[in-house]
């Protein structure tokens, strides 16, 4: 069974909580399998900490919605500021808002979700 996810890029702005969905995103990608934090989350974090590559991402239009997602990731960036990552666990076909299960730096994500 596939664990679907969407990765969204947002700009770090003053007053925006990393634990809430932003109103504006800059880009998004769809990931059809291994979207759980121990899989995709680690891959994303390793891009920033170990300069690894990520495969199997499909670039999407910003307005594309998927009802079958299980996770939504936000990568928060701004020039001259640290990158943060948020992960939301959502219920497919029911609640795409979900619960924020992680907020932190890429290295924090690796520490939390690596066995």
């Amino acid at each position: 069974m596939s664990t679907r996810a969407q990765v969204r890029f947002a700009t770090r702005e003053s007053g925006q909580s990393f634990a809430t969905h932003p109103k504006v995103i800059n880009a998004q990608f769809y990931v059809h399998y291994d979207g759980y934090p121990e899989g995709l989350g680690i891959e994303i974090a390793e891009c920033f900490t170990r300069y690894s590559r990520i495969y199997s991402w499909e670039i999407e239009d910003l307005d594309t919605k998927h009802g079958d997602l299980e996770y939504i990731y936000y990568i928060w960036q701004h020039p001259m500021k640290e990158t943060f990552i948020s992960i939301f666990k959502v219920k497919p076909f029911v609640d795409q808002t979900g619960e924020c299960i992680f907020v932190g730096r890429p290295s924090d994500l690796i520490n939390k979700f690596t066995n």
Side-chain angles (χ1 to χ4, degrees), residues 11-68:
T11 302
R12 286 187 60 175
E13 297 192 42
S14 186
Q16 170 69 55
S17 168
F18 297 146
T20 60
H21 296 273
K23 292 181 182 173
V24 177
I25 59 173
N26 303 316
Q28 71 179 9
F29 293 83
Y30 177 69
V31 182
H32 186 72
Y33 59 89
D34 294 340
Y36 46 89
E38 297 86 354
L40 179 61
I42 297 296
E43 280 188 80
I44 292 169
E46 287 181 342
C47 283
F48 293 102
T49 61
R50 298 185 183 134
Y51 306 104
S52 299
R53 292 183 178 209
I54 297 179
Y55 299 97
S56 302
W57 286 27
E58 299 171 27
I59 193 166
E60 294 189 311
D61 186 275
L62 292 178
D63 298 319
T64 301
K65 305 288 186 221
H66 293 274
D68 60 351

Side-chain angles (χ1 to χ4, degrees), residues 98-109:
E99 172 190 1
C100 184
I101 62 167
F102 175 82
V103 172
R105 294 171 186 84
S107 58
D108 300 330
L109 192 152

Side-chain angles (χ1 to χ4, degrees), residues 12 18 76-78 80-84 105-106:
R12 286 187 60 175
F18 297 146
W76 302 89
Q77 295 181 299
H78 192 279
M80 308 304 288
K81 292 185 180 179
E82 273 190 282
T83 297
F84 275 75
R105 294 171 186 84

